[in-house]
Amino acid sequence: MSPDQILAELSERRRQDLPTHGGRTLAYVYDSGLAAADEIGRQALAMYASANGLDPTAFPSLLSMEADLVAFARTHLHAGDAVVGTVTSGGTESILLAVQTARDAARVERPAMVVPSTIHAAFAKAAHYFGVELVAVPVGAEHRADVAAMTETIDRLGDRVVLVAASTPSYAHGVIDPIEELAAVTRERGLRLHVDACIGGWILPWMPDAAPWDFAVPGVTSISVDLHKYAYTPKGVSLLLHADAGLRRPQFFAYADWPGYTMLNSTMQSTKSGGPLAAAWAVVRLIGSEGYRELVEHTLTGTRALAEGIEAIDHLHLVERPDTSLVVVGTDDAVDVFTISDLMLDRGWFVQPQMRFGDEPANLHLTISAATADSVPEFLTALREAVAEAAVAGPVRIDPALAEAAATLDPDTLDDEAFDGLLALAGLAGGDGQVAVPDRLGPVNALVDVAPPRVREALMVAFLDRLTR
Ligand SMILES: Cc1ncc(COP(=O)(O)O)c(C=O)c1O
């Protein structure tokens, strides 16, 4: 194929995706609205796409750019000279490494980590990969970590605890956990405390009234901050910072006992593209501290306007008052979030349904970026219309027999054929087992929502398995 044909085909395929720019996709992507930042990021990404972060002596420019990014973060996260950092590929990798490092430093049998139930799913993945038990403690008022309950759990588990973690803010509810209080508990017991600031860590430094949450708090031993979120850099960049080099040491891996090069890695990837790191370096330099302050002010002004507007719409309420730029919306029984989400997509807006959790009904998650803040009135108009239409349609009705079956299934007893049948019943596959994603996900989501988490997981894995065959 010619370059022109290839680019035309890429553009054609790209049209199937959600838009990454324009501020109308309120999850997954972050848009500064600054064309110059996007352009410099793209250029740096291309310039460094083939550079390999595997060996810092062969590609010293990557090492120096990593140092610059860590230095920039340190000045904004009240970090002293002892704080060290690593650039990783994303929030999940930063979290995986924080957990692996804590586990390997402690070397205890049956290691456990104590977290609020609102902690990001990446911690469950780390628990799964590294054999660390995830002990999730129900949250307290306003969906914030319950320090008394976490302390009780920490003391009950005793020496098994290798890590305590909390969020600033949590993805699901957008609220900040009480880091100072938790740090007092972990410090007294000599435990590691990881602050998951993946989504808030490039907002909070420019919020003068935020309660202390970073290295200003004695006892915080590591922090994850994603640059591919509110630093508005291309995808593939997060920072994992440790309070000192000793705490970080088990993160590094070296292997010399084979006939090839001595493998020496600071992250899970070995060969890694220099592109995302160079792009992040370029975008952070272009926007700069003052630029981020302006973006944060703009984003938070937009978030407040959006939250107020939502409160004024019939059938909707805020699940919590947003602490930063994440808004979580609940509904009354006259409408359902899955239908609203479909109707918003019809109007060119992506909002993310979050399934029920325990006693809490499903809700809608909105991540506000600077570009979304430019179009709050349009968003509210679309939402008002979508909710009115959803109220006329009424909530998705699920066949009670199907709901009962979904709620009581034991996924461990099901074979491939049974999953094919279930996927077809849920509207995600034809009778031949070929998966087919319907245009309207509302009815599928509403059915999946009544299934308990274990069933949902098994169903989604079966779906992905078929999707990728
Ligand atoms: C609080 C928090 N932690 C971790 C993550 C995981 O980050 P990633 O998707 O970059 O792996 C996210 C992503 O939204 C997040 O919001």
Side-chain angles (χ1 to χ4, degrees):
M1 288 172 81
S2 71
D4 281 350
Q5 284 173 318
I6 292 168
L7 289 176
E9 183 166 339
L10 281 176
S11 302
E12 186 56 36
R13 290 189 187 211
R14 196 73 177 75
R15 272 208 286 278
Q16 303 165 10
D17 302 341
L18 288 173
T20 56
H21 289 80
R24 298 173 79 96
T25 304
L26 281 77
Y28 306 123
V29 299
Y30 300 78
D31 181 7
S32 67
L34 304 173
D38 293 339
E39 185 50 31
I40 199 85
R42 266 196 296 272
Q43 286 186 21
L45 193 66
M47 193 183 286
Y48 271 87
S50 307
N52 193 343
L54 167 64
D55 183 345
T57 65
F59 295 92
S61 69
L62 293 176
L63 186 67
S64 67
M65 285 190 280
E66 179 178 52
D68 288 346
L69 284 174
V70 170
F72 188 91
R74 278 170 31 160
T75 59
H76 291 289
L77 301 183
H78 301 100
D81 290 344
V83 169
V84 290
T86 307
V87 169
T88 74
S89 64
T92 299
E93 190 182 15
S94 290
I95 289 165
L96 290 174
L97 288 169
V99 173
Q100 171 263 317
T101 302
R103 182 200 67 174
D104 290 352
R107 296 191 180 286
V108 296
E109 274 181 27
R110 299 169 59 226
M113 58 181 145
V114 178
V115 298
S117 52
T118 48
I119 203 81
H120 193 276
F123 285 85
K125 185 173 181 178
H128 174 67
Y129 279 11
F130 302 129
V132 177
E133 188 184 341
L134 183 79
V135 183
V137 179
V139 287
E142 298 175 336
H143 292 95
R144 295 181 207 278
D146 179 339
V147 179
M150 284 180 72
T151 308
E152 192 271 318
T153 306
I154 290 166
D155 289 340
R156 180 168 52 77
L157 293 168
D159 292 344
R160 289 183 57 204
V161 179
V162 299
L163 185 68
V164 176
S167 324
T168 59
S170 60
Y171 183 83
H173 296 96
V175 299
I176 295 174
D177 286 326
I179 301 302
E180 280 183 298
E181 287 91 321
L182 268 178
V185 173
T186 54
R187 200 169 67 240
E188 199 188 343
R189 289 158 178 77
L191 291 169
R192 287 179 184 237
L193 174 62
H194 181 84
V195 175
D196 178 7
C198 281
I199 204 161
W202 225 253
I203 293 261
L204 289 168
W206 293 277
M207 284 179 65
D209 297 334
W213 64 278
D214 56 15
F215 288 113
V217 181
V220 168
T221 55
S222 56
I223 299 180
S224 47
V225 185
D226 295 353
L227 301 186
H228 64 198
K229 294 192 168 81
Y230 282 105
Y232 297 110
T233 75
K235 292 293 183 219
V237 198
S238 168
L239 287 171
L240 172 59
L241 302 156
H242 289 277
D244 65 54
L247 287 164
R248 179 177 66 173
R249 184 67 52 80
Q251 181 191 312
F252 291 165
F253 180 79
Y255 194 73
D257 197 8
W258 73 302
Y261 58 90
T262 296
M263 199 162 87
L264 174 61
N265 298 152
S266 59
T267 61
M268 302 189 76
Q269 288 180 299
S270 193
T271 281
K272 57 183 164 193
S273 170
L277 163 57
W281 183 88
V283 170
V284 167
R285 293 210 84 163
L286 186 97
I287 296 180
S289 193
E290 187 50 28
Y292 283 116
R293 195 183 57 71
E294 285 168 17
L295 285 170
V296 167
E297 275 179 13
H298 183 57
T299 305
L300 295 181
T301 303
T303 305
R304 276 189 293 273
L306 194 138
E308 272 169 33
I310 284 170
E311 280 187 303
I313 297 179
D314 265 359
H315 308 298
L316 300 187
H317 63 268
L318 299 176
V319 175
E320 291 298 352
R321 197 135 282 291
D323 277 345
T324 60
S325 53
L326 311 180
V327 178
V328 187
V329 186
T331 69
D332 63 19
D333 291 343
V335 291
D336 76 275
V337 295
F338 306 114
T339 303
I340 295 171
S341 156
D342 277 350
L343 293 169
M344 284 299 277
L345 207 52
D346 291 346
R347 290 164 172 79
W349 296 90
F350 177 81
V351 295
Q352 186 181 52
Q354 302 189 122
M355 304 255 161
R356 73 177 69 181
F357 178 69
D359 297 338
E360 306 202 23
N363 56 45
L364 287 174
H365 170 105
L366 318 176
T367 291
I368 318 305
S369 50
T372 308
D374 294 335
S375 42
V376 169
E378 290 96 302
F379 175 86
L380 289 171
T381 301
L383 186 61
R384 216 172 291 116
E385 286 173 16
V387 172
E389 198 177 324
V392 172
V396 176
R397 261 178 293 280
I398 302 164
D399 176 349
L402 208 54
E404 167 73 13
T408 53
L409 273 177
D410 174 4
D412 292 339
T413 61
L414 301 176
D415 57 14
D416 252 17
E417 212 177 308
F419 273 115
D420 282 336
L422 279 176
L423 287 170
L425 264 183
L428 285 168
D432 53 2
Q434 286 289 316
V435 290
V437 185
D439 285 344
R440 308 197 80 70
L441 276 171
V444 178
N445 279 331
L447 178 59
V448 174
D449 184 51
V450 298
R454 292 292 93 77
V455 177
R456 270 183 229 159
E457 290 159 8
L459 202 60
M460 289 303 113
V461 168
F463 174 65
L464 184 61
D465 169 60
R466 281 137 183 88
L467 201 60
T468 54
R469 269 185 201 177

PDB file of all heavy atoms in Angstrom, residues 383-394:
ATOM      1  N   LEU A 383     -27.464  16.706  28.400  1.00  0.00           N
ATOM      2  CA  LEU A 383     -27.819  15.833  29.525  1.00  0.00           C
ATOM      3  C   LEU A 383     -29.296  16.016  29.908  1.00  0.00           C
ATOM      4  O   LEU A 383     -30.014  15.039  30.161  1.00  0.00           O
ATOM      5  CB  LEU A 383     -26.903  16.130  30.725  1.00  0.00           C
ATOM      6  CG  LEU A 383     -27.057  15.213  31.926  1.00  0.00           C
ATOM      7  CD1 LEU A 383     -26.745  13.754  31.550  1.00  0.00           C
ATOM      8  CD2 LEU A 383     -26.117  15.635  33.064  1.00  0.00           C
ATOM      9  N   ARG A 384     -29.735  17.268  29.924  1.00  0.00           N
ATOM     10  CA  ARG A 384     -31.144  17.546  30.254  1.00  0.00           C
ATOM     11  C   ARG A 384     -32.072  16.827  29.262  1.00  0.00           C
ATOM     12  O   ARG A 384     -33.033  16.157  29.655  1.00  0.00           O
ATOM     13  CB  ARG A 384     -31.382  19.067  30.202  1.00  0.00           C
ATOM     14  CG  ARG A 384     -32.343  19.571  31.243  1.00  0.00           C
ATOM     15  CD  ARG A 384     -32.405  21.089  31.284  1.00  0.00           C
ATOM     16  NE  ARG A 384     -31.201  21.712  31.794  1.00  0.00           N
ATOM     17  CZ  ARG A 384     -30.387  22.502  31.105  1.00  0.00           C
ATOM     18  NH1 ARG A 384     -30.629  22.794  29.833  1.00  0.00           N
ATOM     19  NH2 ARG A 384     -29.308  23.016  31.666  1.00  0.00           N
ATOM     20  N   GLU A 385     -31.727  16.923  27.985  1.00  0.00           N
ATOM     21  CA  GLU A 385     -32.536  16.251  26.954  1.00  0.00           C
ATOM     22  C   GLU A 385     -32.498  14.733  27.127  1.00  0.00           C
ATOM     23  O   GLU A 385     -33.525  14.058  27.038  1.00  0.00           O
ATOM     24  CB  GLU A 385     -31.980  16.559  25.553  1.00  0.00           C
ATOM     25  CG  GLU A 385     -32.264  17.947  25.052  1.00  0.00           C
ATOM     26  CD  GLU A 385     -31.510  18.205  23.734  1.00  0.00           C
ATOM     27  OE1 GLU A 385     -31.035  17.232  23.089  1.00  0.00           O
ATOM     28  OE2 GLU A 385     -31.383  19.380  23.389  1.00  0.00           O
ATOM     29  N   ALA A 386     -31.291  14.207  27.373  1.00  0.00           N
ATOM     30  CA  ALA A 386     -31.134  12.747  27.478  1.00  0.00           C
ATOM     31  C   ALA A 386     -31.936  12.223  28.664  1.00  0.00           C
ATOM     32  O   ALA A 386     -32.601  11.179  28.570  1.00  0.00           O
ATOM     33  CB  ALA A 386     -29.654  12.388  27.620  1.00  0.00           C
ATOM     34  N   VAL A 387     -31.903  12.949  29.781  1.00  0.00           N
ATOM     35  CA  VAL A 387     -32.629  12.491  30.974  1.00  0.00           C
ATOM     36  C   VAL A 387     -34.137  12.562  30.725  1.00  0.00           C
ATOM     37  O   VAL A 387     -34.882  11.641  31.090  1.00  0.00           O
ATOM     38  CB  VAL A 387     -32.217  13.315  32.219  1.00  0.00           C
ATOM     39  CG1 VAL A 387     -33.093  12.982  33.412  1.00  0.00           C
ATOM     40  CG2 VAL A 387     -30.747  13.071  32.555  1.00  0.00           C
ATOM     41  N   ALA A 388     -34.582  13.635  30.071  1.00  0.00           N
ATOM     42  CA  ALA A 388     -36.013  13.751  29.784  1.00  0.00           C
ATOM     43  C   ALA A 388     -36.459  12.586  28.896  1.00  0.00           C
ATOM     44  O   ALA A 388     -37.508  11.963  29.133  1.00  0.00           O
ATOM     45  CB  ALA A 388     -36.312  15.094  29.108  1.00  0.00           C
ATOM     46  N   GLU A 389     -35.643  12.251  27.892  1.00  0.00           N
ATOM     47  CA  GLU A 389     -35.986  11.143  26.990  1.00  0.00           C
ATOM     48  C   GLU A 389     -35.956   9.802  27.748  1.00  0.00           C
ATOM     49  O   GLU A 389     -36.823   8.944  27.545  1.00  0.00           O
ATOM     50  CB  GLU A 389     -34.999  11.115  25.821  1.00  0.00           C
ATOM     51  CG  GLU A 389     -35.509  10.326  24.647  1.00  0.00           C
ATOM     52  CD  GLU A 389     -34.542  10.361  23.457  1.00  0.00           C
ATOM     53  OE1 GLU A 389     -33.896  11.404  23.230  1.00  0.00           O
ATOM     54  OE2 GLU A 389     -34.438   9.325  22.776  1.00  0.00           O
ATOM     55  N   ALA A 390     -34.970   9.672  28.636  1.00  0.00           N
ATOM     56  CA  ALA A 390     -34.866   8.423  29.418  1.00  0.00           C
ATOM     57  C   ALA A 390     -36.062   8.274  30.349  1.00  0.00           C
ATOM     58  O   ALA A 390     -36.541   7.156  30.597  1.00  0.00           O
ATOM     59  CB  ALA A 390     -33.566   8.404  30.218  1.00  0.00           C
ATOM     60  N   ALA A 391     -36.576   9.398  30.846  1.00  0.00           N
ATOM     61  CA  ALA A 391     -37.729   9.340  31.758  1.00  0.00           C
ATOM     62  C   ALA A 391     -38.985   8.895  31.000  1.00  0.00           C
ATOM     63  O   ALA A 391     -39.808   8.146  31.531  1.00  0.00           O
ATOM     64  CB  ALA A 391     -37.950  10.708  32.413  1.00  0.00           C
ATOM     65  N   VAL A 392     -39.107   9.343  29.749  1.00  0.00           N
ATOM     66  CA  VAL A 392     -40.251   8.914  28.939  1.00  0.00           C
ATOM     67  C   VAL A 392     -40.155   7.408  28.663  1.00  0.00           C
ATOM     68  O   VAL A 392     -41.133   6.668  28.795  1.00  0.00           O
ATOM     69  CB  VAL A 392     -40.307   9.710  27.599  1.00  0.00           C
ATOM     70  CG1 VAL A 392     -41.366   9.120  26.674  1.00  0.00           C
ATOM     71  CG2 VAL A 392     -40.580  11.185  27.877  1.00  0.00           C
ATOM     72  N   ALA A 393     -38.943   6.947  28.328  1.00  0.00           N
ATOM     73  CA  ALA A 393     -38.752   5.512  28.027  1.00  0.00           C
ATOM     74  C   ALA A 393     -38.882   4.666  29.287  1.00  0.00           C
ATOM     75  O   ALA A 393     -39.295   3.510  29.226  1.00  0.00           O
ATOM     76  CB  ALA A 393     -37.384   5.307  27.394  1.00  0.00           C
ATOM     77  N   GLY A 394     -38.523   5.224  30.425  1.00  0.00           N
ATOM     78  CA  GLY A 394     -38.504   4.461  31.687  1.00  0.00           C
ATOM     79  C   GLY A 394     -37.264   3.596  31.743  1.00  0.00           C
ATOM     80  O   GLY A 394     -36.614   3.343  30.718  1.00  0.00           O
TER      81      GLY A 394
END
